[in-house]
Amino acid sequence: MDKKEIMPANFDVFQQTFALSLLSNLASDYIANERYTPGSHGDPLEAQLAANIQATLPMPVVTAGLGSGWQIAWGPAVWRGADSRVAHNAALVFYNPEVIYEDGTRAATYVVAIAATNFISGYDWIVEDFTVSSTVNWTQYHPAVPSATAVSHDALMPLISKGTATGVAHIAALTPTDPAHGKTSLSDFIRQLNGTLSEGARIVFTGHSLAGALAPTFALYLKEHGALSAFERVLVYPTAGASPGNGSFSRRFACAFPRQAGGEQPWQSWNVLIHNQYDIVPHAWSLGTLLQLLTIYGNSDAEGGVKLPELMYGVVLAALADSAASKTLYAALPGAQLPGAPPGPAPATAAAYLAMAGIEHVKAYIAEILGEDFPAIGHGPTVSGVIELKDAQRRIAELVSILEKILHPGAGG
């Protein structure tokens, strides 16, 4: 039998990791026709994610960047609550038998690609993102009981937000609804790899947005509990994430995963949060950086200035209040900042603010790390049981509605 020729990758290992991270988000903007019955076979949103990934991988610009050596080892899997018609979390594990690293070494590599915030998921925003007023003691945390909140707030105690704890619990337990995608939970699959690894195998955890907080937290949990001991090298590549916990937690992460620079570009670094200075998400949840959101896009109360849209002002105040109510000081993970490009004229409406934020939160990273030609999303055939939300203005309207519910949870039912 002839050995299949492997097309080499034009992207370096950091670019490949980020591109694979993006693929895990391809269930966003899809709405299921029906709510999901837990335990039933074959969630159509999971099938749509699989179809979109399979449609994206052969695209010439994607194949040229990634090469042809990547395959799916587990997943994809999607989690959504029983009352939801949209994906809340998703993940899959990619495998490549030979990846060239920044120092020229070659190694078999697993990439755990996690997706979290779906911009049209109220659950993600309200529960996994904004639930920061309560915290969980990291030293006592277990994904099976994520609701055990901290009763002490000693500055030396590593704490994570309850939202982060909840999100990691969903990721750890994530199990495909289609047995063809995998028969175990994500955490069990990773643990089982320890007994089957080839010599020198490596694993990388990556995620964007909320997953930029969940991926490093999940990786730290697995490492501290011995689930990654057989891997020759364990790395984390989070992008655009908010702060998962307080300063003590951030330092604990940095000790377990020291910064490893691998090139001249800021995004060529392992074990740090890659963030765009004009992205609003990495400004959460430290009080000091949250305050910067009032003027990040040029809004000003000065004469002749454009006032911050009222909804966004309320959201920032609510975020500040939630952060302060935690009685701890949230702190970002060690980071590497992308230069970014200053946004255009100051937005006068909430929709304009969020549209600008969306560009800085997604497209700016793609342009800086992968180049303007790399697609933000691929579309496979729409599977039975789902519809695609194609209208960008409607997506913004959905997000405006979600933020209004955050500010006024009792209004409108």
Side-chain angles (χ1 to χ4, degrees):
M1 180 181 295
D2 294 335
K3 184 178 180 180
K4 183 179 178 181
E5 183 179 354
I6 301 296
M7 181 182 297
N10 291 334
F11 286 161
D12 69 18
V13 63
F14 302 100
Q15 292 170 307
Q16 291 181 60
T17 300
F18 180 59
L20 295 174
S21 171
L22 294 178
L23 294 181
S24 70
N25 285 273
L26 296 186
S28 299
D29 299 334
Y30 287 86
I31 303 172
N33 294 338
E34 304 290 341
R35 291 175 170 82
Y36 178 65
T37 302
S40 57
H41 175 81
D43 184 351
L45 287 175
E46 180 182 299
Q48 187 65 63
L49 175 55
N52 285 348
I53 292 171
Q54 294 302 330
T56 301
L57 285 173
M59 295 173 64
V61 66
V62 178
T63 301
L66 290 174
S68 59
W70 290 101
Q71 56 188 281
I72 298 174
W74 176 95
V78 167
W79 181 83
R80 57 175 167 135
D83 61 345
S84 177
R85 293 171 55 207
V86 301
H88 298 324
N89 303 123
L92 67 162
V93 180
F94 293 96
Y95 174 73
N96 191 325
E98 187 176 79
V99 175
I100 302 174
Y101 279 78
E102 66 276 10
D103 59 359
T105 59
R106 298 169 183 261
T109 299
Y110 292 87
V111 171
V112 182
I114 296 170
T117 299
N118 180 349
F119 269 58
I120 59 173
S121 166
Y123 179 91
D124 282 346
W125 285 102
I126 295 169
V127 178
E128 294 190 14
D129 277 305
F130 264 77
T131 307
V132 296
S133 58
S134 298
T135 55
V136 174
N137 182 342
W138 177 251
T139 62
Q140 299 173 356
Y141 174 68
H142 191 289
V145 284
S147 60
T149 56
V151 295
S152 172
H153 296 86
D154 187 326
L156 297 179
M157 178 186 296
L159 302 172
I160 59 173
S161 72
K162 188 174 180 180
T164 298
T166 302
V168 170
H170 290 319
I171 295 299
L174 196 58
T175 304
T177 62
D178 184 343
H181 297 157
K183 298 180 181 180
T184 65
S185 69
L186 177 57
S187 58
D188 284 344
F189 175 79
I190 294 171
R191 291 177 188 277
Q192 290 168 10
L193 286 176
N194 272 306
T196 62
L197 294 176
S198 59
E199 184 177 356
R202 301 175 180 185
I203 190 168
V204 183
F205 292 81
T206 186
H208 189 77
S209 193
L210 171 61
L214 300 187
T217 306
F218 182 46
L220 181 60
Y221 178 84
L222 292 175
K223 184 172 185 178
E224 290 189 344
H225 289 79
L228 307 174
S229 57
F231 287 96
E232 185 268 341
R233 194 177 182 192
V234 179
L235 300 164
V236 183
Y237 195 78
T239 55
S243 305
N246 65 357
S248 181
F249 176 81
S250 180
R251 290 188 294 273
R252 190 177 182 117
F253 172 83
C255 288
F257 295 101
R259 178 193 301 258
Q260 298 179 28
E264 296 180 356
Q265 300 297 326
W267 46 264
Q268 292 175 311
S269 297
W270 299 115
N271 304 339
V272 293
L273 176 69
I274 311 299
H275 62 98
N276 167 19
Q277 63 176 318
Y278 296 107
D279 182 0
I280 65 175
V281 174
H283 285 72
W285 293 96
S286 168
L287 295 174
T289 51
L290 280 171
L291 281 169
Q292 296 173 12
L293 298 183
L294 299 173
T295 57
I296 190 172
Y297 296 144
N299 295 101
S300 171
D301 289 335
E303 185 177 352
V306 178
K307 290 184 178 294
L308 185 71
E310 184 177 354
L311 175 64
M312 303 316 304
Y313 185 75
V315 169
V316 173
L317 290 184
L320 286 164
D322 283 347
S323 179
S326 70
K327 298 181 182 179
T328 191
L329 294 177
Y330 283 98
L333 297 177
Q337 181 172 282
L338 303 180
T349 66
Y353 185 102
L354 292 170
M356 189 174 290
I359 291 172
E360 298 295 340
H361 185 58
V362 179
K363 291 184 178 179
Y365 290 85
I366 295 173
E368 182 69 24
I369 301 174
L370 303 180
E372 298 281 358
D373 293 335
F374 196 86
I377 187 168
H379 299 272
T382 302
V383 305
S384 176
V386 303
I387 58 174
E388 183 185 354
L389 186 59
K390 296 181 179 180
D391 187 339
Q393 291 184 335
R394 185 181 167 192
R395 290 198 295 268
I396 293 295
E398 291 278 350
L399 182 51
V400 168
S401 176
I402 290 168
L403 294 178
E404 287 174 340
K405 289 179 181 178
I406 290 174
L407 291 182
H408 309 290

